[in-house]
């Protein structure tokens, strides 16, 4: 091949073109969810479709593929960052090569219709209306996994799409420890019979004041409004166009103060990650978070480990009470208890911090089973109920609160769910084996309300690498250990044993 | 050539691709002016530049050019709409062909720097800092005009870029009549010595209430919020991505109620035009207003002919007074006088309806002169002052209020200014020779506050054609006459003789 630097320069040109297109595409999407008037929906989809095709044209450009292949051959002569870019590009190109185009098109149509079918089925609480589509999507995912290829088990191929390098053999062990640990803590809480009062969180809270507080909070957490936007949408999300324009949304409910607050903290966690990606990676394919799991580790770290800690509550409550006098008689301890109230529930997105991972593990176990061909889809709701009863002690009385509650499978996202629980594990491991090691006064920092040093730690240890290292490598570098369930369980045990006196 | 229908189908495919790109590009721009966080400015420009290049690549595609050429040959076998699309495309392709690429690139860089140089010069009130750039831009425009080609006079080539088909020989006559007519009315007003009191418009008006009123007003004028967005920006503008997503902006000043109101009415006039373009034209190169002048005819019709009429004021004042009790003692007649107060001023964008066209005519006369090579640029400020003294009776004491006030020349927009005054002429001609002919109860409609029938008239006679007919053809179709100064002068005479009792 020609000079490696020259070749890599050309490779970066392709990356820049793709980054330009994705910048525009993400803005088209953002605008769709926040501002676009309804009559433009159809036309907008057409424009987004066109832009995707343009990106596809570049991604499948013969010269680009050859260039990537030859750089892949000599990747050991590249820096860590450059190597990661080439490997990621190669992986995506191989993915496209391995899956017959006609089949992938058929699958794309299936999942794009799937979301609508799922939505209708959920609204009608009619599992049977969704079942045939779900079966087809699962069958397709089995085929896709086989096209991609796998060594130990088929599900590994899908997992790798969201959490590169992660395998069932890694997860099974930690998830079963987490599951057993959480179930046992939950049992002790239930046995204790304490009921936490959180009614004061469901009083009336002016939306405008909520927004004011949330904007101030996001800023104090480290969200840079000079490189970001905060808006309102029906479902909160984070999107970004590079590292200089990162956008979060929140929604406000007059009768649920902490819904918007924890949504803001969560999305700010994602956003701060993206804002801290260094400029030299920003216009490349590693110019974002490394994986869904690591991304969730950041959002959940801010939301739960910081946001639901006694220190943070102690520092925030006075600010809240300033705006909402109906909170002025609430003690920090009571507030802290209220935002950590454990209550096994059926809906994942409303779950408390303790039971949340159980919701995920249930989905993981079910996904693994149906990808292994072990599930009769007529029996899926029963399987779902059995697991909820076993782990959480409750079971759904309808499909809407059961197997039809999440959009993921309808959209073809199988292998995605584990990321949420992995985020919890990564976060706790970073806390004990990284942050507390390097910042011995961590508790005081959180209680002080000025999180600058914590955010700096995350920036220097996690954010600054963008997508350079696979999750397992990154976790190893930062904590000196492989992924473990130990720290998350220790964190949960420590927190809830105090809260519930168990 | 192959089958003409098939060829035209391919032509439409190219139009669609361009329409997709412009959809994204206009959104990138909109977002830049309304939402984008400041740190993204540089990156965003890069993305916009990339998208422009993509559009340029399509526009200069050899196959597309050949296709357009062959369709141009057989254009008489096409419908009016199709023919207009092909002619417009052909004109743009010829433009690109006629101007040597290297020179055009040099020019693009010159004007993009020009705006910054102008801004700095204006802020420093330093004409000399801008003069060399202005001279270069003018020289380039002379060359461009020669490349394009012209018959009667060089300025025609530039005029044609903004007002297709319009010539100096058409404009000279009407503009000189307008100028003399306006100057004579202005003299009579001055001689009368009446000073209108408009101080109540500069009281305090809550911005949130202003916004509420403006949104309601836009809706009542016919702006469709299901296919449009209204936001805030430093400089009000209208943009659109097709006919289903048309966006206007306004700015609010607590001490100037009518600034936001007339800005909203003006931009709504542009927007309603775009929203009423039929779907079958929306994704083509004639899927927008036909020219700058016709566009201004719509915005100015709403802003002035309707918005500053006694009937409209009579119907709106109670709504305003409901929100702003400080207006409750103002009579409709006094309010009507206040929003029509004549006051010769130095700044075009702050000018009243009567003197506005004189500001434009001054610019037109100067542009014509420098494109003819008749201006020593060292003497430009003097020329400017001479004309202001002659027509308006005042002259600037600095450059900022004189020759440095507009961005147009710095951006290379020479030949654009006439559109504003043409808009006034078109509008008045439509009023007397179209609307009042077809809606004999026009005055009652306006006074009723329900403008549906007026908007329908504009839709059926102007908007529905998109860019199908050149301005002169459209005006001929609608009013049965060629462009004339008569109607605008009659309208102004009629209005101001009553208002000032002259």
């Amino acid at each position: 091949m020609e000079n490696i630097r020259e070749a890599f320069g050309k490779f970066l040109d392709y990356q820049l073109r793709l980054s330009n297109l994705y910048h525009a595409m993400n803005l088209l999407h953002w605008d769709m969810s926040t501002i676009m008037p309804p009559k433009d929906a159809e036309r907008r989809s057409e424009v987004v479709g066109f832009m995707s095709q343009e990106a596809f044209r570049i991604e499948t450009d013969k010269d680009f593929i050859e260039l990537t292949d030859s750089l892949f051959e000599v990747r050991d002569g590249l820096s860590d960052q450059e190597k990661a870019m080439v490997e990621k590009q190669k992986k995506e190109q191989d993915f496209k090569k391995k899956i017959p185009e006609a089949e992938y098109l058929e699958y794309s149509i299936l999942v794009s219709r799937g979301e609508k079918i799922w939505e209708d089925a959920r609204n009608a609480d009619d599992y049977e209306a969704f079942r045939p589509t779900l079966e087809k999507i699962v069958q397709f995912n089995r085929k896709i996994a086989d096209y991609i290829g796998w060594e130990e088990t088929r599900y590994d191929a899908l997992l790798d799409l969201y959490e590169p390098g992660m395998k069932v053999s890694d997860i099974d062990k930690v998830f079963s420890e987490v599951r057993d640990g959480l179930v046992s803590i939950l049992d002790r809480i239930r046995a204790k019979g304490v009921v936490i009062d959180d009614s004061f969180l469901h009083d009336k809270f002016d939306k405008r004041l909520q927004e004011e507080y949330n904007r101030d909070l996001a800023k104090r957490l480290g969200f840079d409004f000079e490189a970001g936007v905060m808006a309102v949408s029906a479902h909160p999300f984070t999107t970004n166009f590079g590292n200089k324009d990162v956008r979060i949304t929140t929604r406000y409910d007059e009768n649920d103060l902490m819904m918007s607050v924890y949504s803001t903290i969560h999305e700010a966690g994602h956003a701060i990650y993206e804002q801290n990606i260094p400029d030299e990676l920003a216009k490349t394919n590693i110019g974002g978070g490394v994986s869904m799991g690591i991304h969730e580790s950041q959002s959940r770290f801010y939301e739960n480990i910081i946001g639901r800690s006694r220190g943070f509550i102690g520092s925030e409550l006075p600010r809240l009470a300033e705006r909402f006098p109906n909170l002025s008689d609430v003690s920090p301890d009571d507030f802290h208890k209220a935002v950590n109230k454990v209550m096994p529930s059926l809906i994942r997105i409303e779950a408390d911090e303790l039971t949340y991972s159980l919701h995920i593990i249930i989905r993981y176990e079910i996904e693994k089973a149906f990808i292994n061909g072990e599930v009769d889809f007529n029996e899926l709701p029963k399987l779902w109920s059995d697991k909820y009863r076993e782990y959480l002690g409750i079971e759904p009385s309808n499909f809407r609160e059961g197997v039809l509650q999440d959009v993921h499978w309808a959209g073809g996202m199988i292998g995605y769910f584990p990321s949420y629980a992995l985020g919890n594990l990564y976060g706790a491991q970073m806390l004990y084996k990284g942050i507390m090691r390097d910042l011995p006064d961590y508790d005081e920092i959180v209680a002080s309300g000025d999180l600058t040093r914590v955010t700096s730690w995350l920036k220097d240890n996690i954010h600054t690498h963008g997508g350079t290292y696979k999750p397992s490598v990154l976790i190893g570098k930062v904590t000196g250990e492989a992924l473990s369930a130990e720290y998350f369980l220790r964190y949960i045990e420590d927190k809830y044993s105090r809260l519930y006196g168990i």
Side-chain angles (χ1 to χ4, degrees), chain A:
Chain A
M1 79 178 299
E2 60 195 317
N3 179 293
I4 188 167
R5 294 321 317 162
E6 201 179 302
F8 193 77
K10 280 188 196 163
F11 178 85
L12 283 182
D13 285 344
Y14 281 102
Q15 294 296 330
L16 177 60
R17 285 165 62 195
L18 286 170
S19 167
N20 290 335
L21 282 170
Y22 283 111
H23 185 120
M25 248 192 289
N26 287 352
L27 176 61
L28 287 161
H29 275 296
W30 151 272
D31 185 81
M32 259 173 125
S33 311
T34 53
I35 304 175
M36 186 189 75
K39 286 185 184 169
D40 200 42
E42 197 186 322
R43 173 71 185 128
R44 182 62 62 89
S45 300
E46 197 176 30
V47 174
V48 170
F50 169 82
M51 302 292 289
S52 309
Q53 276 174 4
E54 291 289 293
F56 185 82
R57 223 170 31 79
I58 296 173
E59 280 157 354
T60 57
D61 179 292
K62 219 176 124 276
D63 293 343
F64 184 30
I65 291 175
E66 281 173 15
L67 182 64
T68 305
D69 284 342
S70 25
L71 282 166
F72 188 75
E73 292 301 316
V74 298
R75 65 189 181 282
D76 290 334
L78 297 170
S79 74
D80 281 2
Q81 285 79 3
E82 293 167 347
K83 191 175 165 185
M85 292 176 207
V86 170
E87 284 176 347
K88 188 171 180 196
Q89 197 60 45
K90 169 81 174 149
K91 185 175 168 186
E92 275 166 29
Q93 290 175 353
D94 286 350
F95 178 84
K96 290 204 174 74
K97 229 184 287 174
K98 285 171 182 169
I99 298 171
E101 212 176 311
E103 281 187 53
Y104 196 72
L105 183 67
E106 198 187 329
Y107 176 66
S108 305
I109 294 167
L110 177 66
V111 294
S112 79
R113 288 191 188 141
E115 293 198 22
K116 176 81 183 98
I117 293 170
W118 163 78
E119 204 181 322
D120 293 343
R122 190 191 54 167
N123 291 340
D125 196 35
D126 182 358
Y127 172 65
E128 197 47 33
F130 180 51
R131 189 192 46 77
T133 304
L134 177 59
E135 277 201 64
K136 272 187 222 158
I137 290 171
V138 170
Q139 290 312 327
F140 249 115
N141 270 274
R142 289 167 52 91
K143 267 211 281 188
I144 288 171
D146 290 345
Y147 282 131
I148 296 173
W150 45 272
E151 288 171 14
E152 297 168 17
T153 180
R154 179 177 283 128
Y155 188 81
D156 283 347
L158 302 176
L159 201 48
D160 188 67
L161 297 174
Y162 305 102
E163 205 59 18
M166 191 62 69
K167 287 191 180 343
V168 166
S169 52
D170 302 315
I171 294 187
D172 266 354
K173 189 177 160 290
V174 290
F175 274 16
S176 63
E177 283 173 37
V178 167
R179 183 194 59 206
D180 297 345
L182 294 179
V183 167
S184 118
I185 298 170
L186 188 56
D187 284 346
R188 283 156 54 208
I189 289 175
R190 250 192 294 240
K192 181 86 179 184
V194 170
V195 176
I196 287 174
D197 175 23
D198 65 350
S199 58
F200 52 82
L201 296 178
H202 299 277
D203 203 349
K204 213 170 161 186
F205 303 96
D206 180 75
K207 283 188 189 183
R208 193 179 304 276
L209 288 176
Q210 284 192 51
E211 192 174 340
E212 222 181 85
Y213 169 76
N214 275 281
R215 294 183 70 86
D216 177 58
L217 173 61
K219 197 172 168 189
R220 285 185 290 105
L221 289 174
F223 180 77
D224 179 0
F225 279 90
E226 298 276 297
V229 169
M230 190 169 155
V232 173
S233 71
H235 303 282
F237 67 97
T238 299
T239 186
N240 64 304
F241 334 129
N243 59 349
K244 299 274 193 290
D245 190 346
V246 183
R247 302 186 178 191
I248 62 178
T249 68
T250 305
R251 71 193 161 111
Y252 297 96
D253 179 339
E254 210 176 47
N255 302 115
D256 191 348
L257 174 62
M258 297 314 280
M259 185 186 75
S260 69
V261 172
Y262 284 116
S263 164
T264 296
I265 302 179
H266 182 95
E267 303 305 333
H270 284 303
I272 291 165
Y273 191 174
E274 295 291 337
Q275 288 183 332
N276 281 336
I277 301 284
D279 287 349
E280 52 282 20
L281 305 184
K283 302 178 210 172
T284 76
N285 62 346
I286 61 165
V290 62
S291 70
M292 301 316 307
I294 299 291
H295 237 301
E296 284 293 316
S297 79
Q298 302 305 290
S299 55
R300 289 173 181 278
F301 183 86
Y302 278 99
E303 179 188 347
N304 293 326
I305 299 182
I306 292 177
R308 288 189 164 89
S309 69
R310 177 63 181 78
F312 183 80
I313 295 300
S315 121
E316 287 304 309
L317 185 55
R319 294 180 214 266
L320 281 166
E322 213 175 88
R323 285 188 172 84
F324 306 107
N326 39 351
L327 293 177
S328 50
D329 289 340
V330 180
S331 78
D333 282 332
D334 287 344
F335 201 94
H336 181 228
K337 280 183 185 161
V339 300
N340 286 293
K341 181 179 182 174
V342 173
M343 174 68 86
S345 69
L346 295 165
I347 304 294
R348 174 181 60 87
I349 60 167
E350 294 167 4
D352 57 75
E353 184 181 4
L354 190 151
T355 57
Y356 187 87
S357 298
L358 292 173
H359 290 262
I360 297 305
I361 291 169
I362 289 172
R363 286 154 179 76
Y364 166 70
E365 292 177 352
I366 293 175
E367 284 188 345
K368 230 178 25 168
F370 63 50
I371 289 298
N372 283 336
E374 294 160 0
V375 173
D376 172 355
F377 281 87
N378 292 304
E379 300 295 315
L380 191 63
K382 189 181 171 303
L383 180 60
W384 186 282
S385 293
D386 289 347
K387 289 195 180 281
Y388 266 83
R389 201 173 43 245
E390 189 184 345
Y391 305 155
L392 288 155
I394 51 174
E395 58 185 295
S397 56
N398 58 43
F399 301 118
R400 207 182 292 131
E401 294 184 333
V403 70
L404 289 181
Q405 74 181 263
D406 301 304
V407 68
H408 300 60
W409 294 339
M413 287 158 82
I414 297 171
Y416 184 108
F417 277 123
S419 310
Y420 296 113
L422 288 170
N424 289 335
L425 305 193
Y426 292 145
Q429 190 160 337
M430 284 176 206
L431 174 68
Y432 286 107
K433 300 297 289 183
I435 298 173
M436 284 181 151
R437 172 194 65 205
D438 299 337
L439 304 172
D441 55 340
Y442 167 79
D443 287 332
E444 288 78 51
I445 296 174
V446 172
S448 79
D450 177 0
L451 295 162
T452 315
R453 286 171 59 216
V454 175
T455 300
S456 291
W457 189 94
L458 292 170
K459 178 180 177 180
D460 296 341
N461 289 277
I462 308 291
H463 308 167
T464 196
H465 298 302
T468 305
Y469 304 109
K470 285 191 181 166
S472 59
V473 177
L474 185 64
I475 288 298
K477 277 178 97 80
V478 170
T479 70
E481 286 183 15
L483 175 67
S484 155
E486 180 189 344
Y487 305 103
F488 180 62
L489 285 173
R490 185 198 299 176
Y491 160 77
I492 292 287
E493 171 70 36
D494 187 50
K495 177 169 184 173
Y496 289 94
S497 61
R498 291 191 213 190
L499 271 163
Y500 278 89
I502 51 173

